[in-house]
Amino acid sequence: MAGAADAAAGPVALTARAPHVPADRLVAELVPPPRFGTARFDTYIPDPAQPSQTEAVKVLGDFATRLGGTAPAAGRRRWFRREPARPAGNGPRGVYLDGGYGVGKTHLLASLWHATPAPPERKAFGTFVELTNLVGALGFQQTVRTLGEHRLLCIDEFELDDPGDTVLVSSLLSRLVESGVALAATSNTLPGKLGEGRFAAADFLREIQGLSAHFRTVRIDGEDYRHRGLPEAPPPCTDEQVTAVARRVPGASLDHFPALLDHLSTVHPSRYGAMCDGVRTVCLTGVEPVPDQSTALRLVVLADRLYDREVPVLASGVPFGDLFSAEMLRGGYRKKYFRAISRLTALARDARHLVGP
């Protein structure tokens, strides 16, 4: 009955939402997103053609064991008895997962978080952007005090394209290491880049400056699993198809894409997740290339929050592969744009069945 009532009420509009998010919610939400809420080492399926993926599972399992966790069994379900907690010893206090898009780095990072035997309030998982937003909300010293009580901090999508934010986070991590917090991080490299991964590892270790000695680099090769064995991205729908689905499907939102881009400029990116609360399908009409870099970067954050929440996206207009100009895809933020294209494409596949044959 609730679903019928939701449908009868019609779709919501993201452009009508400007939520206030208190700082304590930002801290409480530093957990793996719903998409990876059940991720475990033994649910990660390594590509048989990529032995580095199997090796990565073993290395992270050993790291979790040193934190008092349990050893993994890659690729198959297996139950373990919890081993007594062991001190971290003299091993590295951090691991850095180095590889391209869609090779399972976030899955493994979330698995490490789950394998660490500490209550959720004593371990944190967030993106680089979420971490900088937390510092903005709490202040640097309060963030140090809050996260300094944690056993583990996992940072997904560590970004190297903003020198100011990179120095800020590097300083924060230095203070956390002094407090005994274990660290784990991922970042992406540009698909097809010669020597993919090795450049990112070198950049990462240079940018975190004095912290490099605390990290062990874990290389993960492979193709984007979101494209592995899957059909090409579905073609865009018509405006009429998108509108009909939005009116029929419970929990759908409906927005004109240019209007949504304008609205994003009025909402702080730390609130984009809250803006999507309760939305089960996002419907967009009139998708067109983004007009400038600032708008594009805001769209990247929204794409990340939708992907985290596994919210399908149905759209009309240009394909998602045409959102960003060739100049943007060659520029300093290209990694973010390729990630957004990959994630929006995956969400578009998830939504296509709503239209019907």
Side-chain angles (χ1 to χ4, degrees):
M1 294 296 293
D6 290 343
V12 301
L14 296 180
T15 52
R17 295 181 166 191
H20 170 71
V21 183
D24 57 355
R25 172 172 170 173
L26 294 178
V27 176
E29 289 184 341
L30 288 178
V31 297
R35 178 178 287 271
F36 297 101
T38 60
R40 300 294 187 273
F41 286 125
D42 55 357
T43 61
Y44 178 80
I45 309 298
D47 185 343
Q50 303 292 346
S52 65
Q53 296 185 9
T54 300
E55 177 64 16
V57 175
K58 180 181 183 303
V59 171
L60 287 174
D62 291 343
F63 187 73
T65 299
R66 292 206 313 276
L67 294 175
T70 55
R76 62 175 183 264
R77 171 68 64 186
R78 183 180 294 176
W79 298 101
F80 297 95
R81 295 187 302 274
R82 174 164 290 179
E83 299 178 356
R86 305 178 193 174
N90 296 321
R93 293 297 301 169
V95 291
Y96 168 66
L97 307 184
D98 180 35
Y101 296 87
V103 296
K105 299 188 304 298
T106 301
H107 184 125
L108 291 173
L109 194 67
S111 299
L112 175 62
W113 187 92
H114 287 295
T116 300
E121 62 269 19
R122 295 292 304 280
K123 49 188 178 180
F125 183 108
T127 64
F128 183 91
V129 171
E130 288 172 320
L131 192 59
T132 57
N133 287 339
L134 183 67
V135 175
L138 299 184
F140 184 83
Q141 296 300 336
Q142 183 58 45
T143 303
V144 170
R145 286 191 291 269
T146 299
L147 297 182
E149 298 296 322
H150 286 54
R151 181 175 299 181
L152 172 71
L153 170 61
C154 297
I155 308 171
D156 201 21
E157 310 292 358
F158 200 103
E159 299 179 0
L160 303 172
D161 43 34
D162 188 316
D165 283 347
T166 301
V167 171
L168 173 69
V169 173
S170 180
S171 300
L172 174 64
L173 298 186
S174 295
R175 296 286 296 276
L176 296 180
V177 167
E178 292 172 2
S179 299
V181 181
L183 306 173
T186 75
S187 69
N188 279 328
T189 56
L190 182 62
K193 184 175 181 180
L194 182 63
E196 179 185 337
R198 290 167 179 79
F199 288 103
D203 291 345
F204 174 80
L205 295 175
R206 183 186 67 248
E207 294 297 338
I208 61 173
Q209 302 167 16
L211 279 172
S212 60
H214 294 285
F215 279 85
R216 173 176 178 178
T217 299
V218 180
R219 172 71 179 163
I220 308 177
D221 299 290
E223 63 177 314
D224 189 335
Y225 80 90
R226 289 180 288 268
H227 301 161
R228 194 189 305 164
L230 293 174
E232 292 296 319
C237 299
T238 64
D239 286 352
E240 292 75 17
Q241 287 175 315
V242 172
T243 301
V245 168
R247 291 173 176 168
R248 173 172 52 84
V249 174
S253 66
L254 177 62
D255 293 276
H256 189 50
F257 186 71
L260 178 60
L261 294 183
D262 289 342
H263 181 63
L264 292 180
S265 68
T266 69
V267 179
H268 191 276
S270 65
R271 302 177 182 179
Y272 289 1
M275 191 170 67
C276 300
D277 284 352
V279 175
R280 285 179 265 172
T281 303
V282 165
C283 296
L284 301 172
T285 59
V287 172
E288 60 186 32
V290 294
D292 56 72
Q293 196 110 266
S294 296
T295 302
L297 292 173
R298 289 190 288 267
L299 179 60
V300 168
V301 177
L302 179 62
D304 286 343
R305 299 293 80 79
L306 293 174
Y307 184 78
D308 288 346
R309 289 161 172 76
E310 299 184 288
V311 178
V313 177
L314 192 71
S316 65
V318 304
F320 287 134
D322 295 337
L323 280 172
F324 309 108
S325 68
E327 182 179 2
M328 289 180 181
L329 296 178
R330 290 193 301 266
Y333 296 110
R334 60 191 181 277
K335 297 177 185 178
K336 295 182 180 182
Y337 300 147
F338 276 107
R339 183 178 80 230
I341 291 170
S342 177
R343 291 183 166 184
L344 288 171
T345 297
L347 296 177
R349 291 195 189 103
D350 293 343
R352 189 62 190 183
H353 74 280
L354 297 172
V355 179

